[in-house]
Every structure is written in structure tokens, then in C-alpha cells.
Amino acid sequence: MGITGLFKREGGSWLKSILVLVLWILASAKLIQSYGPNFNLALLDSAVQTILIVGGLFLLENVFRFYLPQRSNAWLVIVLPLVMSALALYLGHFGLKQLFSDQTEYLLFLEKSFAVRGAIVLILFSACALLLVIAGRLEDQIKTRQREEMIMKMSKEAELHQLRQQLQPHFLFNSLNSISALIASNPEKAREMIFQLSGFLRGTIRKDEKKWVTVQEEVSYLQLFLDIERVRFGHRLKADFQVEETTQSIKIPQMLLQPLMENAVKHGLYGTMGDVDIQLNIRDVGVYLEMTITNPFDPKAGVSADGLGFGLDAVKRRLYLLFGRHDLLNCGVNQNQFSVVLKIPYVHDPNPHN
């Protein structure tokens, strides 16, 4: 708290500040009295010097508040306290000599104590200047850090928004291509798919402002997505969802599983003539919510076993932006089964107003 903070007009701050000054004046008066002058003279001496010192410190603080010296003019940190202390010292010396011009003994004491007074005042002003500069530097660093954090946060939010906007057209274009293929061969299925796609997109638009949704909402979203895909692939596409009851209300980033499920449908059905069973398992593993998507995998079909693609890359990027970690998404192949394991660390509700 600076000198100006000593005189805030909140509550009893005024009274506390006045009490501190009174105690300082009394203590200084007792110290001066111990060197010879009577208490009345010592009290007036202390009051005059204290008022001048407080006024000088107040002025010094306001100078450094609005103008913080840089390296090129660091000499101001030395010169300003020197000028202020000299001004306060000589004004006090001159004023006291005029007030007590008829007190010969006191005037002699005043002259003898001039050097000591000057040293004390200079130390006070120099220490105050140094503290003000240090506090100003720290405040600038804090503000710079806050600006950097705000810029980084805005950048992350912008990138996350861009990723979400990229994911939706990615699925939309695939669905429109499927509808185009069905129009000639099966108009009824094409019409059914259009209605389901319309419902899917309406749900997407309503969720645009919600960055996090519950597991139950995300699973419902996936089921609607699979309903659309079943119009295209018919009875071949099967899905088995195993979701622990305790995980239903846990919140996860919106549309996090949809690109993974889309990837499973695409690569599970690629080059496969029979039925394709896609499994989703969501369970609580202690400090994480673990979500596993498994689909059949045929290495002879020409699909890369690393599972890399736009959907997986986008999910990995989102996880890094949200949690700052690269180890939350893992892919693997086990006996013609391709699995994607996604872990979400438990966090507090990120959208308390949703």
C-alpha cells in the first residue's frame, strides 16, 4: 500500500491513518525532547517535519505512478528523492526558525541536528522511491503476464472454434455426397437421410454456444449420427454402446467423439463386405474418464494402421489446447481390431451457467 493508500475514504481508514500520524508525531516529539527542547517545542517540530515528509512522499509516489523511470533515465530514482528530501528539509528548517526565532537554545539544537535530519529524510525518500519503482516494475510484469494469458486464451478459443467449424462441414460434405449417391438408386432413403441430417444440424446449431456437454448428450448425438450413417450402409452398420451409469452427467468437450466415430465408420466399412460392429465403451477409471471406440480393421484394405486423419488430428489438437497434454489420445491395432482410447481428466464444471 502506497502513501495515497494511507488515506482511503473507505470505512474507518481515515481515522486509522490519522491515528498512525499522531502516534508518529508523538514518538518523534519524545525523541526530540530527549535531546533538550521542551515537549511543546518538540511536538511542533515533529508535526512540521512529519507534514512536510508525508507531503513529499505523496508527491513522489504520484510522480512514479504516472512516470516509471526506464534504464535510460534511471538517474531519476536518485535525483528525485534527493531533490524532494532537500526541499522538505530546507522548508522545515526555514519554517521552524521563523516560528521559534526567539528560542535561542532550540535554534542551536536545530542547527546541530540539521545533518542528522537530512540523512534521515534522505533515507526515507530514497527507500520510498526504490520501493515505488520495484512495485511499479512488478505491477507492469503482472499486467504484461495477464495480457499474454488473455491473448493466449483468445488464440486458443479461436483455434478451438475453427476446429469445431471444420469438423461440421467435414461430416456435412460426406453426408451430402451419400445423399447424392442415394437419390438415383434409392430416393426414399435419400429423403430419410435428409430429414435425419436436418435434425442433426439443428442440434449442432443449438450447441454451438456450449463448449462442454454431458456424456449423455454426447452419446445421444452419436446415436443420431449413426442413424444417418445406417441409411447409407443399412444393416451392415452395427453399434454397441457400453456407458457406465456414473459417467452420464460428467461433462466433456462438445463433438469430441463424433469425428472418432466417423473415423471408425469410414475405416471399419472400407473394403469390408460383411457386417461391421463398432463398440463404444465409456467408464470411470479414477482420475480420468476413459472412452474407447473399437472397429474392425483390415490391413489388406490399404488403410494405415496409425489411424491418422483429419478427425484424429483435430481431436488431438483440441485435447492439447484444452489440457496442454499430448498423451490423452492413443490408437492401436489388436487382431484386426482398431481401437482409439481417449482420456479426459476430471475437471470442475467448465460452464457453470449452462
Side-chain angles (χ1 to χ4, degrees), residues 147-181:
R147 285 195 296 269
E148 289 175 352
E149 289 177 353
M150 183 63 68
I151 292 171
M152 186 175 295
K153 181 180 179 182
M154 293 174 65
S155 176
K156 285 183 178 181
E157 289 179 352
E159 188 172 351
L160 285 169
H161 178 74
Q162 183 181 11
L163 285 172
R164 289 196 299 270
Q165 296 305 312
Q166 287 177 332
L167 285 170
Q168 294 174 14
H170 184 256
F171 165 69
L172 178 61
F173 295 150
N174 288 343
S175 299
L176 290 176
N177 287 333
S178 299
I179 292 172
S180 176

Side-chain angles (χ1 to χ4, degrees), residues 49-117:
Q49 292 289 1
T50 300
I51 291 172
L52 288 171
I53 290 173
V54 171
L57 293 176
F58 180 85
L59 182 60
L60 189 64
E61 181 183 13
N62 280 277
V63 169
F64 283 126
R65 176 185 294 177
F66 296 105
Y67 179 76
L68 191 63
Q70 304 299 320
R71 288 186 177 181
S72 60
N73 50 12
W75 53 269
L76 289 173
V77 180
I78 299 175
V79 173
L80 281 178
L82 186 61
V83 172
M84 292 290 186
S85 58
L87 187 61
L89 181 64
Y90 278 101
L91 284 177
H93 189 75
F94 177 78
L96 290 171
K97 286 180 65 175
Q98 296 302 314
L99 285 173
F100 306 114
S101 58
D102 57 341
Q103 301 289 331
T104 307
E105 292 184 4
Y106 172 76
L107 292 177
L108 183 61
F109 164 75
L110 190 63
E111 292 297 333
K112 289 182 177 180
S113 62
F114 183 81
V116 176
R117 292 170 186 263

Side-chain angles (χ1 to χ4, degrees), residues 236-286:
R236 292 184 57 205
L237 178 58
K238 302 181 184 299
D240 180 25
F241 288 4
Q242 299 292 330
V243 183
E244 288 185 356
E245 188 67 27
T246 56
T247 65
Q248 296 280 353
S249 60
I250 296 175
K251 288 198 171 184
I252 61 175
Q254 174 196 342
M255 283 192 70
L256 192 65
L257 293 177
Q258 190 271 335
L260 301 179
M261 185 63 70
E262 184 176 353
N263 189 72
V265 171
K266 174 183 176 182
H267 295 297
L269 290 165
Y270 186 88
T272 303
M273 300 303 295
D275 294 346
V276 173
D277 187 11
I278 297 175
Q279 298 179 352
L280 170 65
N281 186 286
I282 301 178
R283 62 194 184 109
D284 181 352
V285 293

Side-chain angles (χ1 to χ4, degrees), residues 1-10 12-22 24 50 54-55 57-58 61 65:
M1 181 179 69
I3 300 301
T4 54
L6 194 63
F7 298 97
K8 287 184 178 178
R9 306 190 182 197
E10 300 173 359
S13 294
W14 271 104
L15 293 176
K16 292 179 182 178
S17 302
I18 293 173
L19 180 61
V20 169
L21 288 178
V22 169
W24 174 271
T50 300
V54 171
L57 293 176
F58 180 85
E61 181 183 13
R65 176 185 294 177

